[in-house]
Amino acid sequence: MDTKYITKTDLAKANGVSAAYISKLVKKGVFNKCLDGTKLKRDCALKTYLDIKDPTRDSQRAANRSSKISPAKKTTARKARTKKEPEIVIPEIEKATSKNIKDSDLYNQDNLDELKDLLLSASTGNQKVQIIKDFWTGKINQQKYLEGEKLLIPKEQIVKDVQRILKAFRDKALALPTKISSDLVGLTEKKDVAVVVESYMFELLEELSNLEDIEWLYLNV
């Protein structure tokens, strides 16, 4: 698939959720503005997911909890969710989470609570490990995406600056014949003419390289 598109499966992995959950959001029309036919536009879909909060998700999580845990465990789970200390972690998460994640700001109570809810849908230890790994991979991708988005330069600004650079080149290039004409008078040898023209071309390119817009462009490539 073209890199400008993303599948529902890859979108789910990037955000640490299930493909079924993404499909539900698609059916609800959450990603309508990101559709190109039946394909999801990658950047639009990633940003839309970060911007939305599905109002049905909390109720679905509650339903999952009701079907998976006993009344006694429900009481314990409610008490655990009221605590915000990051060190409150269930053993499966502690064991399957890398040290790098634990040392990062991603390892906070909000993310841990979200992950614990996701683990309620797992029926085996291997499924729990996979959910934990996918969850942290999704959070890392979200963080990278947001950090990268802040560094992006608006397209309009790039177009405007490139237009200024091209105008400066055009103006200096058009002035070149007038500047070198006096130095070419009387020259008959091609070699001598080439030397003069070459010197003016180097001068032109040096002037262009010193433009502030050129320096800005190089610094931001």
Side-chain angles (χ1 to χ4, degrees), residues 67-128:
S67 63
K68 295 291 183 180
I69 57 179
S70 65
K73 290 184 177 179
K74 287 182 184 179
T75 302
T76 302
R78 282 196 295 270
K79 290 180 179 179
R81 284 196 299 276
T82 62
K83 300 178 181 179
K84 293 299 179 182
E85 297 82 356
E87 65 269 15
I88 302 176
V89 188
I90 61 177
E92 291 93 336
I93 296 177
E94 176 72 24
K95 184 177 180 180
T97 301
S98 69
K99 185 177 184 301
N100 288 340
I101 292 293
K102 293 176 183 176
D103 292 340
S104 73
D105 57 358
L106 292 174
Y107 202 65
N108 56 61
Q109 194 61 45
D110 288 338
N111 283 342
L112 292 175
D113 286 343
E114 183 178 352
L115 180 51
K116 282 188 282 186
D117 285 337
L118 291 173
L119 290 178
L120 294 173
S121 63
S123 57
T124 67
N126 287 339
Q127 287 180 352
K128 289 182 179 181

Side-chain angles (χ1 to χ4, degrees), residues 21-35 40 44 48 52 54:
Y21 178 63
I22 294 297
S23 294
K24 183 176 74 172
L25 294 183
V26 171
K27 289 179 181 179
K28 290 182 62 178
V30 171
F31 297 103
N32 280 354
K33 66 179 180 180
C34 304
L35 289 173
L40 281 172
C44 177
T48 298
I52 60 103
D54 182 13

Side-chain angles (χ1 to χ4, degrees), residues 152-209:
L152 292 179
I153 303 166
K155 180 180 69 175
E156 295 77 11
Q157 181 181 340
I158 295 175
V159 171
K160 186 177 180 181
D161 289 329
V162 170
Q163 286 175 339
R164 280 205 301 269
I165 294 168
L166 293 176
K167 183 179 184 301
F169 179 82
R170 176 181 177 276
D171 292 344
K172 290 182 180 295
L174 289 175
L176 196 57
T178 301
K179 292 177 65 176
I180 68 176
S181 59
S182 59
D183 289 341
L184 294 176
V185 174
L187 298 180
T188 57
E189 296 291 333
K190 291 183 179 180
K191 182 179 179 181
D192 295 334
V193 173
V195 170
V196 173
V197 173
E198 187 177 87
S199 66
Y200 274 97
M201 289 301 298
F202 275 119
E203 181 182 338
L204 169 63
L205 294 174
E206 186 176 357
E207 289 178 3
L208 287 172
S209 69

Side-chain angles (χ1 to χ4, degrees), residues 33-49:
K33 66 179 180 180
C34 304
L35 289 173
D36 183 2
T38 59
K39 298 178 180 179
L40 281 172
K41 297 178 183 177
R42 181 182 183 83
D43 289 346
C44 177
L46 288 169
K47 187 174 188 304
T48 298
Y49 184 84

